Amino acid sequence: MKKTENLVIGAGLMGITTAYELIKRGQSVTVIDQLSAPASSASYANAGMLTPSMPEPWNGPGVYKNLVKSLFNPQASMRLRWNAIPDLMSWGIKFLRYSSQAHFDRACRDNFYLTSYSLKKTQELSEKLGLEYSRGTEGTLSIFQEQEDFQGKSNLCDSLRQYGMKCRVIGPDEIISLVPALEKMKSKIYKGIHFFNDEFGDAHLFCTEIEKEFIRSGGRVQYNETAEEIVIHDDEVVGVKTNNEFIEADRVVLAAGAVSPKILKKVGLNLDVKPAKGYSLTVHVDNLKEQLPLPVLDDSQNIVFTPLGNRLRMVSTAEFAGFDTSIDQNRIEMMFKSLKKILPGVHELVNESDAIPWAGLRPMSSDGKPFIGWSEIKGLFVNCGQGPLGWTLAMGSANLAADIITEREASIDPELFSLSRSRSS
Ligand SMILES: Cc1cc2nc3c(=O)[nH]c(=O)nc-3n(C[C@H](O)[C@H](O)[C@H](O)COP(=O)(O)OP(=O)(O)OC[C@H]3O[C@@H](n4cnc5c(N)ncnc54)[C@H](O)[C@@H]3O)c2cc1C
């Protein structure tokens, strides 16, 4: 095969958007993926929320108590499984260490810069290319049943206002006029926060659209092609050995999601990323938008309901369970129960047996921020670890990656997300 300037491993959100931004900067780019279509792994059926409003890492102060409790509670929304513990040891210690208040605050701020930039880039591209991905611009609504939970999120919003966070606190009446489907929950809701600058849309459709644009612009994509080894010669990348061939490349961009650390390990590098499993259910609902015009996140139940055209997408839970993507029927039943409780009017319109269950692995970094930058090996670039925010962060990460690779001035300080960043405190 002809030599390429850039070989991107992975056609998920990170890989396909980075490939697109590189080709727009005049580079030659080939993408390979072990599966047969774009966004077929973690980027396939996520909650669809584009949320600069949620920059907080999962490892906030006190996270360890929840994780320990979850070992004994199969219904916990964030769950650690006993059998995953040995593989999580060193990553887990860091995950807990980075849960200090100082680190949490810094990670929120850094992520907020990138999420805001990313949404702007997603909007620009969507409008420029007229992309179709069930886009919604009504924002997101978080509802709180407990004053304490509301206060926590409200304090975080206050601390991010100076960097541009925009939201408004609303009471039960206004919540119902915004989302009629919440009527029967009204008496239980303490308050809500409407993040009116957020957006939502189908990440899988977005990737499919970008892949088409990438190919139209001269890019090449090879599916069913597994990267087996990044080949290094004299401390420099020379290409990738796949299950089919050797592909020669000046640079390799690793965007293989939760699998990335396994690929890096073969060339002697460590990346603090582990998989966190999440479930979704997607089901057709006629005239859904009338009842549910925007995503609703119930903080106390840790569940999200997102309208994607006439499809309802429900997402809940995070499990540290290794690379297992099997569907646990209990989790599915819990989601239906939550739907019945929170949006009973929508539940009545749903045929449960038509719902499509799915599970995917969020690539989670131990400090709650993605890794976007050069590795210690010349020519090997990493764009991975966006965790629960990968859809929100995709276009920002892609622009930052492409700017660094092509040696342009980036809009975001590259040090904040570099592989060698300082993580003291
Ligand atoms: C349940 C759930 C809900 C979520 N909700 C949201 C949300 O609402 N908003 C948000 O912002 N984010 C959300 N996310 C997070 C987001 O979906 C992920 O962060 C994002 O999809 C990660 O993209 P990626 O490109 O890094 O990984 P992936 O999408 O997993 O892509 C990696 C690709 O690499 C390929 N690959 C792996 N190994 C190899 C190899 N050796 N050779 C070739 N190819 C290889 C895989 O086949 C895959 O296609 C959610 C995630 C989950 C699981």
Side-chain angles (χ1 to χ4, degrees):
M1 195 206 138
K2 205 169 133 231
K3 184 176 170 180
T4 179
E5 278 176 320
N6 302 275
L7 179 62
V8 178
I9 303 175
L13 274 162
M14 298 322 134
I16 216 75
T17 54
T18 305
Y20 174 80
E21 288 303 327
L22 281 170
I23 212 151
K24 287 290 141 196
R25 285 162 179 74
Q27 300 276 305
S28 80
V29 189
T30 298
V31 179
I32 58 167
D33 199 291
Q34 62 189 357
L35 299 175
S36 56
S40 298
S41 198
S43 309
Y44 186 69
N46 67 23
M49 296 192 299
L50 289 153
T51 47
S53 64
M54 294 171 199
E56 59 269 38
W58 284 358
N59 46 340
V63 68
Y64 64 94
K65 281 190 221 138
N66 294 338
L67 283 176
V68 172
K69 273 197 237 157
S70 79
L71 283 166
F72 307 97
N73 177 10
Q75 314 237 302
S77 53
M78 195 199 298
R79 188 169 181 216
L80 173 61
R81 286 195 186 257
W82 287 102
N83 57 5
I85 292 178
D87 188 47
L88 280 177
M89 282 311 271
S90 104
W91 179 92
I93 291 167
K94 289 181 197 152
F95 186 75
L96 297 181
R97 185 146 52 86
Y98 296 133
S99 69
S100 69
Q101 189 67 51
H103 190 277
F104 178 77
D105 291 345
R106 199 164 53 158
C108 286
R109 187 201 56 202
D110 294 351
N111 283 344
F112 186 72
Y113 291 145
L114 190 57
T115 53
S116 307
Y117 171 64
S118 196
L119 181 58
K120 188 170 141 255
K121 288 287 161 192
T122 314
Q123 290 164 334
E124 280 172 12
L125 197 65
S126 167
E127 275 146 34
K128 184 173 145 207
L129 301 177
L131 304 176
E132 301 276 344
Y133 55 101
S134 304
R135 178 183 178 197
T137 57
E138 291 86 349
T140 52
L141 173 68
S142 284
I143 55 169
F144 302 87
Q145 296 183 35
E146 306 296 334
Q147 183 177 1
E148 195 188 338
D149 296 336
F150 165 75
Q151 209 51 58
K153 184 68 188 180
S154 175
N155 293 345
L156 178 70
C157 295
D158 288 344
S159 70
L160 290 170
R161 259 182 236 282
Q162 57 184 310
Y163 306 114
M165 165 76 99
K166 295 212 169 61
C167 59
R168 63 195 184 103
V169 174
I170 53 178
D173 285 334
E174 217 179 325
I175 289 173
I176 306 310
S177 65
L178 198 60
V179 181
L182 286 166
E183 175 71 48
K184 290 193 177 141
M185 271 284 285
K186 190 174 170 185
S187 60
K188 298 204 178 81
I189 300 174
Y190 171 66
K191 271 185 185 153
I193 305 181
H194 182 202
F195 298 98
F196 48 86
N197 276 355
D198 288 352
E199 293 200 2
F200 52 98
D202 187 321
H204 173 245
L205 289 179
F206 183 86
C207 286
T208 308
E209 294 267 281
I210 298 292
E211 186 234 32
K212 279 192 221 142
E213 285 296 325
F214 170 68
I215 293 169
R216 254 197 289 267
S217 310
R220 195 183 159 96
V221 192
Q222 295 177 203
Y223 291 111
N224 304 309
E225 185 101 24
T226 304
E228 290 181 341
E229 200 184 326
I230 297 169
V231 183
I232 317 286
H233 199 259
D234 288 338
D235 297 326
E236 197 171 330
V237 160
V238 290
V240 170
K241 185 174 159 297
T242 75
N243 53 331
N244 293 320
E245 59 183 324
F246 171 70
I247 306 176
E248 197 181 352
D250 294 332
R251 286 174 289 278
V252 169
V253 179
L254 182 62
V259 182
S260 300
K262 288 189 181 177
I263 298 173
L264 282 178
K265 205 170 175 186
K266 290 188 188 165
V267 290
L269 298 183
N270 180 46
L271 189 72
D272 274 335
V273 169
K274 290 287 176 189
K277 182 177 178 179
Y279 294 88
S280 76
L281 268 177
T282 308
V283 64
H284 179 90
V285 180
D286 282 332
N287 305 321
L288 178 61
K289 222 171 157 101
E290 286 167 20
Q291 286 293 314
L292 184 73
L294 72 166
V296 170
L297 191 146
D298 184 322
D299 199 78
S300 58
Q301 308 275 314
N302 268 310
I303 189 159
V304 176
F305 304 98
T306 303
L308 296 170
N310 273 350
R311 288 171 304 147
L312 170 68
R313 168 97 24 99
M314 297 170 257
V315 166
S316 80
T317 72
E319 282 181 11
F320 291 100
F323 285 87
D324 169 32
T325 51
S326 61
I327 309 278
D328 176 347
Q329 205 47 40
N330 290 326
R331 292 289 185 185
I332 302 302
E333 279 160 25
M334 276 165 62
M335 279 197 262
F336 280 128
K337 267 192 200 153
S338 298
L339 176 66
K340 197 170 177 184
K341 197 166 139 200
I342 300 164
L343 303 172
V346 176
H347 180 259
E348 278 165 23
L349 303 173
V350 164
N351 184 350
E352 287 193 11
S353 58
D354 287 346
I356 302 168
W358 172 83
L361 302 174
R362 304 167 178 98
M364 302 285 291
S365 67
S366 60
D367 71 350
K369 301 198 306 184
F371 292 105
I372 306 160
W374 293 110
S375 72
E376 289 156 49
I377 295 172
K378 194 166 176 217
L380 177 53
F381 193 92
V382 174
N383 183 4
C384 172
Q386 280 76 1
L389 275 174
W391 174 206
T392 308
L393 288 172
M395 283 307 301
S397 303
N399 275 276
L400 177 57
D403 283 340
I404 298 173
I405 292 168
T406 57
E407 298 180 349
R408 294 177 188 209
E409 196 181 336
S411 302
I412 296 285
D413 177 3
E415 171 52 26
L416 298 179
F417 302 100
S418 74
L419 277 65
S420 58
R421 60 189 174 237
S422 149
R423 283 177 279 180
S424 55
S425 77

